Amino acid sequence: MTINPAQNSRPSRRKLPLVKTLATLATAAVLSMSQAHATIVDIDFEDSAFSDVSLFVNGDTVEYKNVLFKTESLDDGLSGALIDGSDPFTFFNLGFPGNNISAYYAAVNNGWFSIQHKIAGAGIRLTGLDFSFIAPLPGFLNFTVGQLVVAGQKADGSFNFASRDFAGQDAQGNWQFDTWNSISSDLGGGKFTNISVLACLYTDTGACVFVDNNQAQFAVDNLAVDVAAPATVGLFALSLAGLFAANRRRQQAK
């Protein structure tokens, strides 16, 4: 009997549709995951979910779209407030920013905040925000006071940190909002189960430290949070399982 090597090495015709379908599914999964990475929630604090609370104490949580915004502090007192930037008399005894006339969040009295996906354990990215220092008293300071610090907690419990100096004051002594759009890459580009935003102050030695004296206060606005759907890969796996099961049934029927 003569064996034709070319015929023997040719793949089965019945397997070609399966291979083609797998390739199609893989391509669709890659496309869907790339689209999910563009799922950005913009938190500009204009929504009633925030304005209905207005004053925040330790543990207060606001659910906005797919994000949980939680205020935290070292005690149970006032930890944050929603500020109307168009009202110059809001908290007039503090050195508040002067270049934002919209609503924004102020972390005060040793307060900070954290964000996470509303689905427990799902990862998020913080891709950008606007931020400013809030001085305990009005007045001019001719030096950099401290930094905004972002801490991303990974699924294994470890942390990545990134920080940036606060902007200074204008000629009238008003603190200025600055924009930080490289947070995600500064944190290493990964996803985190929890992201905390807080402030540190510089000491005379140049170290930036976290203090318990109601002075490391800050304001944030326009948080851009990537909340890509965590179920994309799972759905792809389910599709593959269904495909293999259907193919097995067809083979058994033959």
Side-chain angles (χ1 to χ4, degrees):
M1 181 176 66
T2 302
I3 298 176
N4 187 334
Q7 290 180 348
N8 195 45
S9 61
R10 187 172 56 194
S12 169
R13 291 182 180 274
R14 289 186 297 178
K15 292 183 179 180
L16 288 177
L18 176 59
V19 173
K20 183 177 180 180
T21 305
L22 285 175
T24 301
L25 280 174
T27 302
V30 171
L31 289 175
S32 64
M33 283 187 283
S34 64
Q35 291 171 352
H37 284 207
T39 308
I40 302 297
V41 171
D42 294 312
I43 302 178
D44 59 9
F45 301 100
E46 303 289 345
D47 191 87
S48 60
F50 292 95
S51 60
D52 286 348
V53 181
S54 185
L55 297 177
F56 299 81
V57 297
N58 182 39
D60 280 346
T61 302
V62 175
E63 179 178 330
Y64 181 69
K65 296 183 178 179
N66 288 321
V67 178
L68 295 181
F69 179 97
K70 182 180 180 181
T71 61
E72 304 185 57
S73 68
L74 298 176
D75 52 49
D76 292 329
L78 180 68
S79 61
L82 194 70
I83 303 299
D84 180 0
S86 65
D87 182 0
F89 298 104
T90 301
F91 284 84
F92 65 93
N93 60 324
L94 297 177
F96 271 73
N99 62 335
N100 188 340
I101 60 172
S102 67
Y104 58 84
Y105 179 79
V108 298
N109 299 341
N110 303 319
W112 69 95
F113 70 89
S114 63
I115 56 174
Q116 63 185 55
H117 202 293
K118 73 174 184 180
I119 300 175
I124 61 171
R125 290 185 180 92
L126 179 61
T127 63
L129 54 73
D130 297 332
F131 69 105
S132 172
F133 182 65
I134 298 176
L137 294 171
F140 283 94
L141 296 175
N142 60 353
F143 55 87
T144 302
V145 294
Q147 296 182 328
L148 190 76
V149 179
V150 178
Q153 183 175 11
K154 294 185 282 189
D156 63 3
S158 61
F159 287 85
N160 286 7
F161 293 90
S163 60
R164 178 166 292 195
D165 282 348
F166 287 110
Q169 299 167 278
D170 63 14
Q172 288 71 45
N174 297 311
W175 293 94
Q176 300 294 289
F177 268 95
D178 196 5
T179 298
W180 186 3
N181 285 332
S182 61
I183 297 176
S184 182
S185 59
D186 293 343
L187 283 173
K191 285 188 174 183
F192 302 94
T193 56
N194 187 83
I195 298 176
S196 296
V197 180
L198 56 164
C200 64
L201 297 181
Y202 284 122
T203 65
D204 293 339
T205 63
C208 202
V209 300
F210 302 103
V211 295
D212 181 16
N213 57 8
N214 295 338
Q215 293 187 23
Q217 305 179 126
F218 62 94
V220 293
D221 199 1
N222 301 318
L223 278 69
V225 186
D226 182 348
V227 290
T232 301
V233 175
L235 289 175
F236 178 50
L238 287 175
S239 298
L240 286 180
L243 178 62
F244 281 119
N247 183 68
R248 178 176 296 179
R249 287 193 297 268
R250 286 197 299 269
Q251 296 296 328
Q252 291 174 347
K254 293 179 181 180

